[in-house]
Amino acid sequence: MKHFLESFCLLGAFLHVCTQHTVPASEFQLEGDYLIGGLFHIHDDTAFKQYFRFLCKPLTFSNYRRFQMIRFSVEQVNNSTNLLPNVSLGYDIFDHCSDTQNFPGVLKLISANGSIQPWSDKQSVLSKVIAVVGPFTSTQSLTVAPLLMVNLVPMVNYATSTSVFSNKAKYPSFLRTLPSNLNMIDVIVRILQKFNWRWVAFLNSDDDYGNDGLNLFTQRIKDTEICLPYSKGLSDSTNYTQTFKQMEAKQINVIIVFALENNVEPLIESAMLLNVTNKVWIAGDAWALNKKLPKMKGIKNIGTVLGVAEPVVTIPGFSDFLHSSKAQLHCKYAEQDTFCNQKCNCSCMNPEDIFAADPSYSFAIYSAIYAIAHALHNTLRCGADKCDSNITVYPYIVLAELRKSNFTLVNNSIQFDDNGNLKQGSYSVVFWNNSGDAQEIGFYQFNSEVHFFVDDSKIEWHTNGEVPTSLCSPECPAGYIKKRNGIYECCFDCEICANGTYVNITESPYTCLKCKDIEWSEEGSTSCNLRAVEYISATDIVATLVFVAACAFVGMTLAMSVLFSVNYNTPVVRSAGGPMCFLILGCLSLSNLSVFFHFGKPTVPLCTLRYLPFLLFYTICLACFVVRSFQIVCIFKIAAKIPKLHSWWVKYNGQWLVIVVAFVIQAIFLVIGYSCKPPSPYNETSWYPDKIILSCDISLQASTASVILLLSICTLCFIFSYMGKNLPKNYNEAKAITFCLLLLILTWIIFATECMLYRGKYIQLLSALAVLSSLYSFLFWYFLPKCFIILFQPHKNTQQYFQGLIQNYTKTISQ
């Protein structure tokens, strides 16, 4: 609306001047049953801006080609036997060389019998034309659109791609026969992603078209790795020297130019003049098929030019029309002063030059005319040979039929969506080759899905065949994450991922992700590997050897029990503890059960029984040896000095009382500890990065009381046995117990040290060996010497021998 208000102020002056002219027949007008209005950008308005006159600069071949395309399309429809039979289309075309000059023409188009009724009912308003094609630029369309929207006059545009026109609340009667900027920006972004260009500049014409492209591009790259460190709106006052210096300072190698031809040509000429080289230029559809620039001397020095353009569609009969049209006119209107913006100044333009001009938007114009013709065909309910001439054609009815368009034109489907945009469309990706032609190297098609393809083998890169790069920071090596350096995501430092982590560049290139517990990775990894699961199975050779040793232990304890039972009344057996020997041997055998639960895949029962039998029954064994040590000291020392204590001990069977109390306390501790936090399978993952060691998690808190009780009993045993170290040499059981305890303590100190230094699968083997060592120490160094005396030194297993030892020790003490 801003454009409308600014220009409306000058409406009166122009309308007065323009209505003073008589409009003769010319290329701009054709009589017909129904008229189509045309707003075409034939001349440039620079002269008007400068001199404030109704004069325009000479027309260009490409603009004139589009002008001739609408004339050809209408003539072809009129010559058709299938479309609008016996109905002729006419046109009234105005040269939109200036926004302000355009108003008289627009008002003329929407008038009926020389009057305009903007506040009348839309369903009863007639206008001179049934639809309007054009204008060319987005700014021009924004200026004109409010006038046409008032009475829902269809505005079918062939070149305005600005996304704002998709808003049907503001522009209800606007349709277009080319894709919108949204599609074109998507093509450009896909090209950038195809060649991994992430550090780009965006130069746009400083108008509605260019600014819309910049906004869409900024939104489109938000979720990508593309950064836009530089953007600039181009106008007549642009300082190109400064622009290129700023881009060079940022080391930008890819430049997107989303601008009209009148902005692009001075930009490219300045680039050649300023010796800007080795860049990649991405052209928008407004200049991708430009015929002048690719053939300029030195154009290859600026680098490689890629472009996004409408596919060039060969329209049958257009060339013949140009030749016949120019032959008929003979330029008789070249010097005639006609309506202010219906003046050609064609200067006898060559048909070959017109046909060879930039074909951009030609098919869009062709499609627009045919879309209007099909809509009128359906509005008039045309049959095979005639139409209903009694139907009054209102613009809003034509608009409704236009929205329902569904036909094929030169193998292209023409349909509109709810926003007035094409449901299906396509772009060509072109490359300016060394011959000065725009060579098609790929395509972009959209309907329900998007299809994109670029054959980069056809591109002759300016970098000796290699794809140019445009990055703020080079890509990180595999296994490195990006640490942003500055405000742009494209600028970063690289940091290697540590052991046990990896980087997934597709999901999170800025974070080292931790591997799962069952996985591992080396430094600088892009994925995790499954850890090797290790444990000693029950069938392993070392497990078999331990089982053999455990079974041998049980066999030896059984043999010793039999030997002691046969020689139960001998002094050696009685001095070893008598009936207590069998309790010790039995508990040692039961403690031995723990060894069998050290191997195999850990489970809750296996972990529970790994140390439970040992802790419980080995406590009884140590309690027995505490009692034996105490009794030895008591017999030889305390009995003589504290007789009452000795008599109390004998009277109440103190030795059995101590053993039972120790057993009950240990049992209670184990039940409480294992109930609160029972042992469970545990995966050791912290010790080895590439392995999982299956073991058992035995809580220190749950087993602390049991271990402390065991250590306390062991300490008492050691104290009492050490006190009896000076007893008779051949009768010194205390020395044997002391030695066994020293072996026991040394064994578990070694095992504890191993646990701190090593956590591999063989730690369970070491634990089993520690248990066996604890058991074998008492078997070998306490019971085996007594078996040796019984079997091989029977003379020492007599009452007389033992009494002699005691008498000699008593004499020694008394002396």
Side-chain angles (χ1 to χ4, degrees), residues 51 158 349 362 385 454 552 647 663 708 777 779 786 804:
Y51 302 112
Y158 61 91
M349 299 176 72
S362 295
D385 54 357
V454 172
S647 61
F663 172 74
I708 290 176
S777 62
L779 191 69
K786 294 170 176 50

Side-chain angles (χ1 to χ4, degrees), residues 511-529:
T511 307
C512 288
L513 304 175
K514 189 176 181 180
C515 294
K516 298 178 182 178
D517 289 341
I518 61 172
E519 298 176 332
W520 72 282
S521 69
E522 295 179 347
E523 185 180 58
S525 296
T526 57
S527 62
C528 294
N529 303 311

